[in-house]
Amino acid sequence: MSRVEFWQGNTACAEGALAAGCRFFGGYPITPSTEIAEHMARSLPKAGGVFVQMEDEIGGIASVIGASWAGKRAMTATSGPGFSLMMENIGFALMTETPCVIVNIQRGGPSTGQPTMAGQGDMLQCRYGSHGDISPIALVPASVEEMYSLTVHAFNLADIYRVPVFIMADEIIGHMRERIEVPDKVQLSERKPVIDPTHPFRAGCDLIPGFPTFGKGYAVHVTGLTHDDRGYPCTTNPEMHEKLVTRLFNKVESVRDEISLFETINTDSKVVFISYGAPARAVEQMLHDHPEAQIGHLRLKTVWPFGERCLSQFPNAEVFLFPELNLGQISREIERHTRIPVISIPKIGGNLHLPQELWEITERYL
Amino acid sequence: MSGDDWLRKDRLPHIWCAGCGNGTVVNCTLAAVDEIGWQRANTVFVSGIGCSSRAPGYVLTDSLHTTHGRAIAFATGVKLADPSLNVVVITGDGDLAAIGGNHFIHACRRNIDLTVICMNNQIYGMTGGQGSPTTPMGKLSTTTPFGSVEPAFDLTELAKAAGANYVARWTGFHVKELTKAIFSGLSTKGLAFIEVLVQCPTNYGRRNKYRSVTDQIDYMKTHSVLKQKADRLREEGNELPEDTIILGEIVKRSLPAMGVRK
Amino acid sequence: MRLVIDEVRCKGCNLCTLVCPYRIFKPGTIANRKGILVPVTDRPERCTNCRLQKIYGRTLCGMCQMICPDQAINWVNEEVYEPHRVVVED
């Protein structure tokens, strides 16, 4: 059973979080993500949760990490400038393996840029923004329905892999209103229990240690310093640092094909579009307008970690066309994984690619 | 006393220098926590970055050693998400007053049920003795080689003005009074802020003519005045010397608090 | 109860010598294996507060333990003093 609603993307994201059992929201208002905070402020107290508007985004992500250690599913929502402020604590969450969900409704950057216009300029920042070698998970919704379902999925991934998970939506998806079928029940996963309380950070062959929630008597020491299996700082031992950071990195990278979600259309075509987020909708419209031309489409729902398996779905591909609302950030990542030419179709300024524009470029390669 | 039971004995001796006052503050904190009867399982110590912030690593409870200046923001999340936990924040002057100043005043404004203990050594000890917001005027550090030209921060006045429910200041010498003050802080509903002036022989004392550990302790002993006495002296029209350290309970009140256990 | 200094934890700051009302602690003169001059206790049985702790069931003074930044000062239980029995030879 399900019910039908007509929601904005941001509302769907907040409702998805509530359905996923999110009971803590700490954040700071920023256009165009504010509707998520507003919706959580209204709904969380009714659901027995806590909403707190912190003094800045740094405090927002810090309170989310704290709440996560206290056993709550926790999230924050922001946009470009706030996302930049959060970077240090995102690194802390990765180092301490704290599950949390960070929603970034991207706007035009750099700096204050275009607060009310769409952009996808934070796609590399979420992967490489925090210092050190990190590997987070980033999901990109392209519809209001996905704002809901991917938010639920993000909480599950965060708890399974003990990493911060990003929802890298954009202003168009965040503010677009669409019909959405809301399921009555969503599937939820749980945090792994601690196996050896004396070594709470010791991981098995899946590289993921159990989660020692605060207040359960584990007396766990959580530190952003390089730490050993007990959680104690161990900063001058090169082997220890290598072992820890490699594990944190491989924990996500080794399962990238399992995490990776994507959709394909016309897998045997020669010209293939790759897209994620709002530009995917322009591509879909173009495919709809020109059904006679065999054009493939790979829509990424997971951008980080990038599972290269998705590219082998198109064995006949001769060219990849990649429209993005930035100057070609992810198309460079695709180039690392394929010998087929990748043509970036960048667009910044806040407007989406027009299907007509995309068709004109496509015609050159047909 | 069983304050010793709260220590991670396998991690001792700790990293602090000989004569550093931080260890004394840990003793007093643990004595107060033990006296109030909190259990290890539902007590959380949170800290930021710096010498002082290594303290939770030596306490056998759940402990969160976070990023520079953000300890109070992390603690806010822990406390609001689970009000049944007792949360103590241990922080330093650079951590709390410089990079974390915003979080500090907003935690005081929210009056969230935390106990914040600031080990104020008036210097950045861990990075090698740079001037901090609480370095007194004229004192030397590696970044104030000709004496600090900036006025120092009075953290207790700041906390008082921002709305904390309990504010006190003691030094690393007044251990009994400090333990009592921390006890009062722990039992206060709302934000309790206890500033502790501690000696830093390695980086502050060495550059400021306190040749031995005991010299700086002597200075704190002889230059401190109880708040009541200071108030009385001021009423009588006496001028207090500028370097007077005013000790004691600065404020105790019961403004509405947040995150109090139901 | 008898005062002892844990040589492993002590870093030789001599704060204990400053606070003891009985002046039990004296600055050390001989460096130990780590090169630290650990203070020495001078007739610690003179400390009434230490001796009476057990009877009162609580720490009486404890300034030395509280101020010790290295958690190096503690008390150990002492056996009750037994006067030697004098054996008279036949």
Side-chain angles (χ1 to χ4, degrees):
Chain A
M1 278 300 286
S2 60
R3 65 198 159 101
V4 175
E5 296 277 1
F6 187 65
W7 274 345
Q8 196 185 46
N10 284 345
T11 311
C13 177
E15 284 289 334
L18 290 164
C22 171
R23 290 297 175 266
F24 187 92
F25 185 100
Y28 190 80
I30 183 168
T31 306
S33 77
T34 322
E35 291 83 4
I36 300 175
E38 287 172 347
H39 196 89
M40 291 305 252
R42 276 194 301 271
S43 312
L44 268 179
K46 292 180 205 158
V50 180
F51 170 88
V52 59
Q53 184 178 324
M54 293 300 285
E55 49 274 6
D56 51 26
E57 282 89 350
I58 304 172
I61 178 77
S63 67
V64 163
I65 295 170
S68 182
W69 278 99
K72 289 266 163 62
R73 277 191 159 188
M75 78 180 293
T76 184
T78 188
S79 186
F83 198 58
S84 297
L85 281 179
M86 288 181 181
M87 277 303 144
E88 187 193 11
N89 283 339
I90 286 169
F92 179 84
L94 281 152
M95 192 63 157
T96 56
E97 300 171 71
T98 310
C100 54
V101 172
I102 298 146
V103 182
N104 181 358
I105 310 294
Q106 297 171 84
R107 63 194 223 184
S111 188
T112 318
Q114 297 171 294
T116 59
M117 303 292 261
Q120 291 182 319
D122 308 350
M123 294 310 298
L124 286 183
Q125 189 190 18
C126 75
R127 174 70 177 76
Y128 298 106
S130 197
H131 58 277
D133 292 297
I134 58 168
S135 184
I137 299 176
L139 309 176
V140 190
S143 64
V144 172
E145 192 279 324
E146 277 185 2
M147 281 294 266
Y148 186 93
S149 60
L150 286 186
T151 305
V152 175
H153 188 53
F155 277 99
N156 289 342
L157 287 177
D159 277 1
I160 293 169
Y161 296 106
R162 282 190 66 178
V163 282
V165 177
F166 302 113
I167 305 276
M168 300 298 286
D170 48 69
E171 188 272 340
I172 294 172
I173 304 298
H175 281 159
M176 180 172 66
R177 284 173 197 273
E178 239 180 2
R179 179 185 187 275
I180 170 174
E181 279 186 31
V182 185
D184 284 342
K185 215 175 170 195
V186 293
Q187 201 181 356
L188 300 180
S189 51
E190 291 202 342
R191 293 178 185 176
K192 206 173 143 186
V194 177
I195 295 154
D196 179 5
T198 53
H199 295 86
F201 286 88
R202 181 175 287 169
C205 49
D206 59 353
L207 307 178
I208 307 157
F211 190 83
T213 311
F214 281 1
K216 304 276 184 245
Y218 292 112
V220 60
H221 183 53
V222 181
T223 175
L225 292 168
T226 297
H227 45 270
D228 58 16
D229 288 349
R230 293 172 300 172
Y232 292 174
C234 183
T235 54
T236 49
N237 184 340
E239 289 84 33
M240 187 64 76
H241 184 80
E242 189 186 345
K243 191 179 143 206
L244 174 71
V245 177
T246 318
R247 176 173 73 75
L248 297 181
F249 194 79
N250 288 340
K251 176 171 83 169
V252 172
E253 287 294 328
S254 62
V255 289
R256 57 183 181 273
D257 284 332
E258 288 166 39
I259 295 174
S260 175
L261 297 174
F262 55 86
E263 274 180 8
T264 55
I265 299 171
N266 294 341
T267 49
D268 48 357
S269 44
K270 290 177 179 167
V271 176
V272 177
F273 269 92
I274 307 178
S275 69
Y276 58 89
R281 303 181 72 95
V283 175
E284 271 162 22
Q285 182 62 45
M286 193 207 66
L287 296 184
H288 180 263
D289 293 348
H290 302 277
E292 73 292 350
Q294 276 285 312
I295 304 168
H297 185 201
L298 166 64
R299 184 165 70 82
L300 305 170
K301 292 189 198 176
T302 312
V303 171
W304 305 112
F306 182 71
E308 60 271 28
R309 183 174 59 103
C310 60
L311 297 176
S312 57
Q313 307 287 315
F314 297 88
N316 303 330
E318 284 171 4
V319 64
F320 287 126
L321 300 174
F322 203 156
E324 285 181 273
L325 294 180
N326 55 43
L327 297 180
Q329 295 192 358
I330 302 298
S331 65
R332 298 283 166 274
E333 176 70 16
I334 308 287
E335 278 177 356
R336 297 202 309 141
H337 295 284
T338 179
R339 285 165 190 276
I340 303 163
V342 181
I343 311 295
S344 176
I345 309 173
K347 182 153 192 169
I348 57 170
N351 285 336
L352 194 55
H353 301 79
L354 294 174
Q356 192 57 36
E357 276 172 39
L358 293 178
W359 175 246
E360 281 163 19
I361 296 168
T362 314
E363 276 184 316
R364 289 183 220 157
Y365 297 97
L366 282 174
Chain B
M1 101 143 187
S2 49
D4 215 39
D5 299 342
W6 288 76
L7 287 169
R8 287 195 168 111
K9 293 195 191 70
D10 52 341
R11 293 207 63 208
L12 294 176
H14 48 60
I15 61 158
W16 294 316
C17 312
C20 171
N22 291 355
T24 311
V25 183
V26 170
N27 291 345
C28 299
T29 309
L30 295 184
V33 167
D34 193 62
E35 198 182 331
I36 203 167
W38 286 0
Q39 299 303 307
R40 282 210 299 258
N42 60 9
T43 306
V44 180
F45 280 77
V46 185
S47 70
I49 294 292
C51 290
S52 57
S53 300
R54 288 301 191 101
Y58 302 110
V59 183
L60 190 55
T61 62
D62 292 323
S63 47
L64 192 56
H65 178 214
T66 68
T67 47
H68 196 22
R70 320 296 172 203
I72 293 180
F74 280 89
T76 302
V78 174
K79 184 67 188 177
L80 290 182
D82 189 352
S84 69
L85 295 173
N86 304 306
V87 185
V88 181
V89 178
I90 296 187
T91 177
D93 52 325
D95 201 40
L96 184 90
I99 188 165
N102 200 21
H103 303 298
F104 175 51
I105 55 173
H106 283 278
C108 291
R109 172 182 64 83
R110 288 192 187 102
N111 220 347
I112 179 160
D113 193 16
L114 304 172
T115 305
V116 181
I117 299 165
C118 173
M119 300 175 179
N120 179 3
N121 56 6
Q122 306 172 324
I123 203 108
Y124 283 84
M126 190 151 271
T127 46
Q130 292 78 27
S132 90
T134 54
T135 305
M137 285 270 261
K139 294 291 183 188
L140 304 181
S141 71
T142 56
T143 51
T144 56
F146 312 110
S148 174
V149 289
E150 299 170 15
F153 227 144
D154 187 333
L155 297 178
T156 52
E157 288 299 322
L158 180 68
K160 184 182 163 189
N165 256 355
Y166 181 88
V167 181
R169 184 199 280 122
W170 288 103
T171 77
F173 173 74
H174 302 89
V175 284
K176 295 270 166 172
E177 294 87 344
L178 173 61
T179 309
K180 272 188 202 141
I182 296 176
F183 183 86
S184 310
L186 299 175
S187 41
T188 302
K189 287 190 171 63
L191 193 126
F193 174 66
I194 299 117
E195 182 190 352
V196 194
L197 287 167
V198 290
Q199 68 277 16
C200 173
T202 308
N203 277 320
Y204 185 78
R206 181 160 59 102
R207 296 194 175 87
N208 288 292
K209 294 184 181 152
Y210 304 116
R211 294 283 170 214
S212 68
V213 178
T214 44
D215 284 354
Q216 206 178 345
I217 288 275
D218 270 335
Y219 175 85
M220 293 198 291
K221 219 163 88 176
T222 49
H223 287 70
S224 53
V225 175
L226 258 185
K227 183 177 178 284
Q228 288 85 341
K229 190 179 173 189
D231 289 347
R232 202 174 62 234
L233 285 171
R234 281 203 197 104
E235 265 173 37
E236 290 166 1
N238 295 313
E239 276 280 308
L240 288 173
E242 260 185 32
D243 55 353
T244 309
I245 308 164
I246 295 171
L247 301 182
E249 205 171 274
I250 309 291
V251 76
K252 186 171 186 170
R253 54 195 172 191
S254 45
L255 299 175
M258 207 179 154
V260 180
R261 190 190 324 201
K262 281 163 198 112
Chain C
M1 301 284 262
R2 188 165 59 87
L3 272 175
V4 285
I5 301 176
D6 185 344
E7 280 215 25
V8 179
R9 293 187 189 175
C10 179
K11 291 176 186 153
C13 66
N14 287 334
L15 278 177
C16 45
T17 64
L18 188 80
V19 294
C20 182
Y22 293 94
R23 306 205 179 278
I24 300 285
F25 301 93
K26 288 266 182 309
T29 47
I30 304 158
N32 70 3
R33 204 164 48 83
K34 290 194 282 185
I36 290 166
L37 302 173
V38 178
V40 287
T41 48
D42 174 21
R43 290 164 289 154
E45 62 276 11
R46 289 183 296 136
C47 175
T48 329
N49 292 316
C50 297
R51 290 211 313 273
L52 295 180
Q53 268 189 56
K54 225 172 185 178
I55 301 168
Y56 281 81
R58 62 189 172 89
T59 314
L60 288 172
C61 161
M63 280 294 280
C64 51
Q65 194 200 33
M66 283 297 267
I67 206 162
C68 177
D70 303 308
Q71 291 83 33
I73 297 177
N74 257 308
W75 290 278
V76 288
N77 270 323
E78 266 184 316
E79 294 303 312
V80 180
Y81 176 71
E82 276 186 30
H84 292 289
R85 230 171 59 205
V86 180
V87 183
V88 181
E89 284 180 30
D90 292 324

